[in-house]
């Protein structure tokens, strides 16, 4: 492994598509690993490619991997509360462990069995993992270090039991942060300390600072919208990076926090959670932020009366619409431009917000028009065709209570 260390102490989600044919009990998908992201006997055959993507679920004490039919094909023991993120190569998932980010091989796109590998990206208090433009950026909250690598290089390295070549960039201070590498090599990384966070800075490919903006209190949440414009959430709006410069989009209220953003490459609008009450308690929210990086507008769409959601319950649909898993157990679709409600799909029973954010509660991921919804109360996973509104598959009762979810 070669590590390129860059000193910087100077002053969003692409998943392989899957084709859903809408049968009541079977998801027919067509996603596979391409030969340039695999090596040796790991290159999938045409028949193996039909196995499609796989879903990873965390539970207390382990990791479950499910196939396209929502059958458990892997159950890996692991201690403690873990988080999972796609690694960016349509096959592997990054699992947070005390040592950093451990690589789970889901074997998506093949007929192989999943395996929790011994390959670990070292990180002190591993936090966010962001995939963009073929690059994966990992943020270590305990040091502020950012580790980056070519997403497509992961499979071959892991097959050999090694890490791919990486570059590391240091932050000015350790903090709970995030980083995105743009296609031209610009690295956008948050600014903060253990006590607070204030904004984002842009570094060139050599690690030299290009510009910064510290008018984004408690910066959290990130993504890239159309034309590779980056958006970050603040407690009073959003921070936008376009063409080498930062601009601020103010929230419609003095306090207007958006802490999690969901973006696509075909829309200029970032969808996020919105909270206009600094004294609010609990984790349920009832407003959706619609932040247009092109027009500079920040709109808010209300959920139906009495319906809330958490940071795990937002996604984007096939037409760029917001998809929200409400506490009423239904999926709510919202037009990202107008905030108009487009309809709802009942999926699970009504549920209550968690006591702590780490607690298991229903979660949502959308891939190629299929919404995957966890049901901790029933220990099941559902697949919903957003085009037809059908629940097209439901898992058997799972070995553990599902918590976090990632799809590769």
């Amino acid at each position: 492994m070669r590590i390129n260390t860059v000193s910087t102490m100077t002053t969003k989600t692409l998943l392989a598509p899957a084709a859903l044919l809408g049968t009541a009990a079977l998801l027919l998908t067509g996603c596979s690993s391409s030969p340039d992201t695999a090596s040796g006997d790991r290159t999938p055959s045409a028949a193996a490619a039909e196995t499609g993507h796989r879903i990873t679920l965390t539970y207390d004490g382990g990791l479950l991997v499910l196939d396209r039919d929502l059958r458990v094909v892997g159950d890996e023991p692991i201690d403690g509360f873990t988080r999972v993120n796609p690694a960016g190569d349509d096959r592997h998932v990054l699992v947070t462990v005390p040592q950093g980010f451990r690589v789970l091989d889901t074997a998506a796109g093949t007929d192989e069995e999943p395996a929790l590998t011994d390959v670990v990206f070292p990180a002190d208090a591993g936090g966010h993992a962001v995939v963009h433009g073929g690059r994966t950026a990992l943020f270590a909250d305990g040091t502020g270090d950012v580790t980056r690598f070519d997403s497509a290089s992961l499979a071959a390295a892991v097959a050999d039991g090694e890490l791919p070549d990486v570059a590391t960039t240091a932050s000015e201070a350790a903090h709970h942060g995030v980083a995105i590498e743009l296609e031209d090599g610009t690295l956008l990384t948050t600014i903060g300390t253990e006590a607070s966070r204030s904004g984002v800075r842009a570094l060139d490919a050599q690690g030299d600072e290009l510009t910064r903006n510290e008018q984004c209190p408690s910066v959290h949440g990130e993504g890239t919208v159309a034309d590779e414009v980056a958006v970050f959430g603040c407690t009073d709006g959003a921070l936008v990076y376009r063409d080498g410069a930062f601009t601020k989009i103010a929230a419609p209220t003095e306090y207007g926090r958006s802490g999690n953003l969901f973006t696509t490459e075909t829309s200029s609008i970032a969808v996020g959670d919105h909270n206009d009450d600094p004294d609010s308690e609990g984790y349920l929210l009832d407003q959706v932020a619609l932040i247009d990086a092109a027009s500079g507008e920040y709109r808010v769409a209300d959920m139906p009366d009495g319906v809330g959601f958490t940071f795990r319950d937002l996604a984007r649909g096939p037409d760029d619409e917001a998809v929200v898993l409400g506490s009423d157990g239904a999926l709510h679709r919202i037009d990202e431009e107008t905030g108009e409600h487009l309809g709802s799909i009942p999926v699970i029973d009504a549920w209550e917000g968690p006591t702590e954010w780490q607690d298991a509660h229903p979660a949502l991921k959308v891939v190629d028009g299929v919404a995957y919804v966890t049901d901790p109360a029933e220990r099941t996973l559902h697949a919903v065709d957003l085009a037809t509104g059908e629940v097209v598959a439901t898992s058997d009762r799972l070995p553990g209570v599902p918590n976090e979810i990632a799809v590769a």
Side-chain angles (χ1 to χ4, degrees):
M1 177 186 68
R2 182 175 71 252
I3 298 179
N4 302 316
T5 302
V6 180
S7 174
T8 61
M9 305 306 288
T10 60
T11 301
K12 254 324 80 287
T13 267
L14 299 179
L15 297 170
L20 178 80
L21 299 187
T23 61
L26 183 65
L27 293 176
L28 300 178
T29 60
C31 108
S32 64
S33 298
S34 58
D36 61 352
T37 61
S39 65
D41 60 5
R42 287 187 174 270
T43 301
S45 64
E50 295 178 1
T51 59
H53 56 255
R54 287 183 171 175
I55 305 100
T56 300
L57 301 172
T58 69
Y59 69 93
D60 186 9
L63 300 165
L64 298 175
V65 180
L66 282 66
D67 66 9
R68 63 172 184 174
D69 302 322
L70 307 191
R71 297 175 300 196
V72 176
V73 294
D75 187 352
E76 297 281 354
I78 192 166
D79 293 332
F81 173 76
T82 55
R83 311 204 72 184
V84 287
N85 291 278
D89 67 346
D90 298 328
R91 173 165 178 151
H92 295 88
V93 166
L94 299 173
V95 183
T96 57
V97 294
Q99 297 79 22
F101 298 88
R102 188 172 178 182
V103 179
L104 170 68
D105 183 359
T106 72
T110 79
D111 57 1
E112 301 169 17
E113 294 184 358
L116 184 59
T117 74
D118 293 326
V119 177
V120 178
F121 289 90
D124 181 356
H128 289 282
V130 176
V131 177
H132 175 73
R135 296 281 286 176
T136 303
L138 312 177
F139 200 95
D141 292 348
T143 60
D145 289 347
V146 180
T147 300
R148 294 165 287 142
F149 61 91
D150 287 327
S151 308
S153 68
L154 183 62
V158 171
D160 293 332
E162 300 177 349
L163 288 174
D165 294 342
V166 304
T168 61
T169 302
S171 294
E172 295 172 327
H175 63 281
H176 176 57
V178 69
I180 305 173
E181 183 175 335
L182 302 181
E183 293 182 7
D184 66 359
T186 300
L187 180 66
L188 301 175
T189 182
T190 51
I191 302 167
T193 66
E194 292 183 359
S196 64
R197 302 182 301 277
S198 59
V200 182
R201 59 185 183 144
L203 311 176
D204 65 18
Q206 289 70 47
D208 295 325
E209 185 169 308
L210 300 170
T211 185
R212 65 168 57 199
N213 183 297
E214 295 194 60
Q215 303 304 311
C216 186
S218 298
V219 56
H220 194 278
E222 81 298 320
T224 50
V225 298
D227 300 322
E228 206 183 25
V229 175
V231 185
F232 297 82
C234 319
T235 58
D236 58 359
L239 190 63
V240 174
Y241 181 83
R242 175 195 284 109
D243 298 330
F246 288 104
T247 56
K248 184 70 176 289
I249 299 178
T253 52
E254 181 177 357
Y255 179 86
R257 181 182 187 273
S258 184
N260 300 274
L261 299 178
F262 299 83
T263 59
T264 74
E265 294 184 337
T266 52
S267 172
S268 65
I269 297 172
V271 169
D273 47 17
H274 179 82
N275 182 10
D276 60 7
D277 181 4
D279 300 318
S280 62
E281 297 180 355
Y283 294 95
L284 283 182
L285 300 172
D286 57 13
Q287 295 180 305
V288 178
L290 306 172
I291 305 167
D292 193 332
S295 68
E297 294 180 273
Y298 188 126
R299 295 179 292 274
V300 174
D302 293 322
M303 293 290 288
D305 288 345
V307 177
F309 64 93
T310 78
F311 66 96
R312 288 186 184 154
D313 304 314
L314 274 171
R316 300 296 286 271
D319 297 319
D320 291 336
E321 75 276 20
V323 182
V324 189
L325 175 59
S327 59
D328 59 349
L331 291 172
H332 299 265
R333 301 179 71 178
I334 300 173
D335 187 288
E336 87 281 10
E337 294 183 351
T338 66
E340 177 187 358
H341 283 253
L342 305 176
S344 60
I345 305 170
V347 183
I348 62 177
D349 290 338
W351 51 278
E352 296 182 355
T355 301
E356 302 292 341
W357 69 265
Q358 298 95 332
D359 294 343
H361 59 280
L364 168 69
K365 291 292 180 185
V366 174
V367 179
D368 193 39
V370 181
Y372 294 98
V373 176
T374 67
D375 187 349
E378 298 296 328
R379 282 172 47 175
T380 53
L381 176 69
H382 305 276
V384 182
D385 181 354
L386 290 175
T388 66
E390 289 186 87
V391 178
V392 294
T394 296
S395 72
D396 291 334
R397 186 172 172 85
L398 299 168
V401 176
N403 196 340
E404 294 220 337
I405 179 173
V407 182

